[in-house]
Amino acid sequence: MTTFEELKRRGLLAQLTDEKEIEELVNAGKATFYIGFDPTADSLHVGHFMALCLMKRLQMAGNKPIVLIGGGTAMIGDPSGKTDMRKMMTPETIQHNVDCFKKQMSRFIDFSDDKAIVVNNADWLMNLNYIELLRDVGAHFSVNRMLSHECYKQRMERGLTFLEFNYMIMQSYDFLELFQKYGCNMQFGGDDQWANMLGGTELIRRKLGKDAYAMTITLLLNSEGKKMGKTEKGAVWLDAEKTSPYDFFQYWRNVADADVIKCLKMLTFVPVEEIEEMEKNMEGAEFNKAKELLAYELTKLVHGTEEADKAKEASKSLFGGSGSNENMPTVEIESSELNDGTIGLLNLVVKAGLAPSVSEARRLVQQGGITVNDEKMTDQRAQIKIDGDVIVRKGKKAFKKVIVK
């Protein structure tokens, strides 16, 4: 099975401008491709996960990734898929986020010996001469055509600033710069980026003529991928300080039944033949096995084997398996907070981080959503004795081990 065939079987490819040429380049390991990441936070999250896994997969086949950090475009903000204008960031904040991204990406991509490179579009965008840009690049763009794209239609209804209107030109210029400076012949992006990507491909061909040939591919999951990593508490981050390895594991352990095979195909390096065989018998307990495999493989990829093993053991312990509670998420409370070795149930729930306030903790107890050491709590005035480890659980998925310092 060729690399391109595998990408298709895993459901990763949606739209392509030049399928035959793309297939030949990818299979021969001759694609120099880029994917852009806007540094709007100091950590990547699981919405970026598919792009990172794709880059790793293509690099393993001999192709060269270019990680484009949008330090320049982040100063503007992409209107694609947005209903409001993105907040401005300072150059210092952007640079800090760029540094954090580079560190996290090293878990996925091999940057040694020029096998991959990281570039920041601030290096060329921040020094552009506006008049020269208008003459050299702007002349190749039709305003009527730009406004026909869905990404601008949505924003036109609520107000599109001229600042944001320039985003397509900036992204297109990125591809031109990467093509000329690094021989980048392919770009990947989400389906909401299709218009911007086509702009880059067309700019190269119009400006440099028939000898210049660049291609675009969009990723099937990206419209859904924007939903990935969003929970009631916010994003699921790749940074262990923001989302613990255990919580990361549990996020994937609890994906919907309908999504588990899709996620295994798109995000893991489990052989696609093995996943397709699993798919034939997906019912009952098989869903749980598949989810545990998904959670383990992705936690291992992001946080390493040791943390993945710990998270798996903690999950088994919680859900009735044979695992140890040694690796459960833990909260420590001071002995001074106890009264004769006990603490009020509502305070315990808040201290464990399972409710933001006493009133919310009271509501959870009233609804039967709190258990302590596997006993459902019904008395909101109950005093809980902290003698050894105490396991507090909210619902079926959220829990903490509470110990006394």
Side-chain angles (χ1 to χ4, degrees):
M1 177 172 54
T2 66
T3 300
F4 190 80
E5 287 172 340
E6 182 174 9
L7 296 181
K8 279 197 159 184
R9 282 175 67 174
R10 288 183 179 272
L12 286 167
L13 306 182
Q15 293 173 281
L16 302 84
T17 54
D18 307 271
E19 181 165 344
K20 182 181 178 183
E21 290 83 357
I22 289 171
E23 181 176 8
E24 290 175 354
L25 282 172
V26 167
N27 287 342
K30 293 182 178 180
T32 298
F33 67 96
Y34 93 88
I35 299 180
F37 298 81
D38 275 348
T40 52
D42 59 0
S43 172
L44 298 164
H45 55 73
V46 299
H48 297 115
F49 210 54
M50 187 181 64
L52 293 169
C53 291
L54 177 69
M55 296 181 94
K56 180 180 177 69
R57 203 180 304 279
L58 287 172
Q59 188 183 50
M60 290 169 61
N63 300 285
K64 182 175 181 176
I66 298 176
V67 175
L68 177 65
I69 302 294
T73 41
M75 298 292 288
I76 297 176
D78 181 8
S80 303
K82 309 291 190 307
T83 56
D84 296 297
M85 184 174 172
R86 181 181 286 171
K87 290 183 179 180
M88 298 285 188
M89 295 190 297
T90 66
E92 293 77 17
T93 299
I94 291 172
Q95 185 57 51
H96 171 71
N97 294 349
V98 167
D99 294 339
C100 293
F101 277 23
K102 288 180 181 178
K103 183 177 179 181
Q104 290 180 344
M105 287 177 177
S106 294
R107 277 200 171 271
F108 296 82
I109 303 165
D110 181 4
F111 291 102
S112 67
D113 302 323
D114 201 38
K115 294 175 184 173
I117 58 174
V118 178
V119 296
N120 187 338
N121 64 12
D123 293 344
W124 53 83
L125 294 182
M126 299 297 284
N127 297 317
L128 284 175
N129 179 287
Y130 188 59
I131 298 299
E132 289 180 4
L133 179 69
L134 288 177
R135 288 173 58 87
D136 195 37
V137 177
H140 296 283
F141 286 83
S142 162
V143 171
N144 289 346
R145 185 169 182 184
M146 291 172 71
L147 290 175
S148 71
H149 291 301
E150 194 63 32
C151 61
Y152 286 117
K153 281 183 180 179
Q154 293 175 1
R155 291 287 285 116
M156 284 288 288
E157 296 174 3
R158 300 187 59 155
L160 176 69
T161 69
F162 184 70
L163 181 68
E164 295 171 286
F165 190 67
N166 276 269
Y167 193 91
M168 181 183 290
I169 295 176
M170 296 294 97
Q171 185 169 328
S172 299
Y173 188 81
D174 284 344
F175 197 15
L176 175 64
E177 183 77 11
L178 294 172
F179 179 87
Q180 293 179 310
K181 191 170 184 179
Y182 301 103
C184 180
N185 51 23
M186 198 175 298
Q187 59 179 331
F188 285 76
D191 56 7
D192 62 333
Q193 293 292 312
W194 185 240
N196 293 342
M197 294 168 67
L198 285 179
T201 295
E202 292 170 0
L203 173 62
I204 291 172
R205 295 180 182 178
R206 288 173 183 168
K207 182 173 174 55
L208 303 181
K210 294 181 180 179
D211 291 338
Y213 211 76
M215 290 154 279
T216 57
I217 298 180
T218 64
L219 309 182
L220 178 63
L221 188 63
N222 269 40
S223 58
E224 301 172 37
K226 289 191 175 294
K227 304 172 188 174
M228 270 191 173
K230 300 294 184 182
T231 71
E232 59 183 12
K233 294 182 180 180
V236 176
W237 304 98
L238 305 194
D239 185 341
E241 296 298 318
K242 291 177 174 288
T243 299
S244 71
Y246 176 80
D247 289 335
F248 186 85
F249 182 97
Q250 284 301 115
Y251 172 77
W252 296 109
R253 175 64 180 75
N254 293 306
V255 299
D257 289 355
D259 293 334
V260 62
I261 290 295
K262 177 172 60 181
C263 289
L264 278 169
K265 286 181 179 179
M266 292 181 168
L267 305 179
T268 77
F269 291 83
V270 176
V272 67
E273 296 87 354
E274 183 179 328
I275 300 171
E276 289 171 345
E277 193 61 33
M278 292 170 58
E279 190 174 11
K280 296 176 183 177
N281 303 297
M282 289 301 289
E283 58 183 35
E286 297 304 315
F287 279 109
N288 286 330
K289 291 180 182 179
K291 290 178 183 180
E292 186 171 280
L293 175 63
L294 173 68
Y296 182 80
E297 289 295 322
L298 296 187
T299 305
K300 181 173 67 173
L301 184 60
V302 174
H303 298 294
T305 301
E306 182 178 354
E307 292 298 335
D309 289 339
K310 288 180 181 179
K312 184 176 180 179
E313 283 298 305
S315 183
K316 282 183 178 180
S317 177
L318 177 65
F319 295 106
S322 57
S324 164
N325 71 6
E326 178 183 353
N327 298 309
M328 286 185 178
T330 301
V331 170
E332 295 181 339
I333 60 176
E334 300 285 349
S335 58
S336 60
E337 299 179 75
L338 303 180
N339 183 13
D340 291 332
T342 66
I343 186 173
L345 172 62
L346 301 184
N347 285 333
L348 177 63
V349 174
V350 174
K351 293 285 184 185
L354 298 176
S357 64
V358 169
S359 60
E360 176 63 15
R362 181 180 293 110
R363 184 187 68 80
L364 290 170
V365 172
Q366 290 172 343
Q367 294 179 348
I370 297 296
T371 62
V372 176
N373 290 340
D374 292 328
E375 178 184 351
K376 181 175 286 190
M377 295 288 102
T378 57
D379 182 2
Q380 61 187 10
R381 294 169 296 182
Q383 295 292 313
I384 308 299
K385 186 172 181 61
I386 308 295
D387 183 13
D389 297 345
V390 173
I391 310 301
V392 186
R393 181 160 62 181
K394 178 179 73 172
K396 295 181 179 180
K397 300 176 182 178
F399 73 99
K400 291 289 176 63
K401 177 172 69 174
V402 180
I403 62 176
V404 178
K405 286 186 180 179

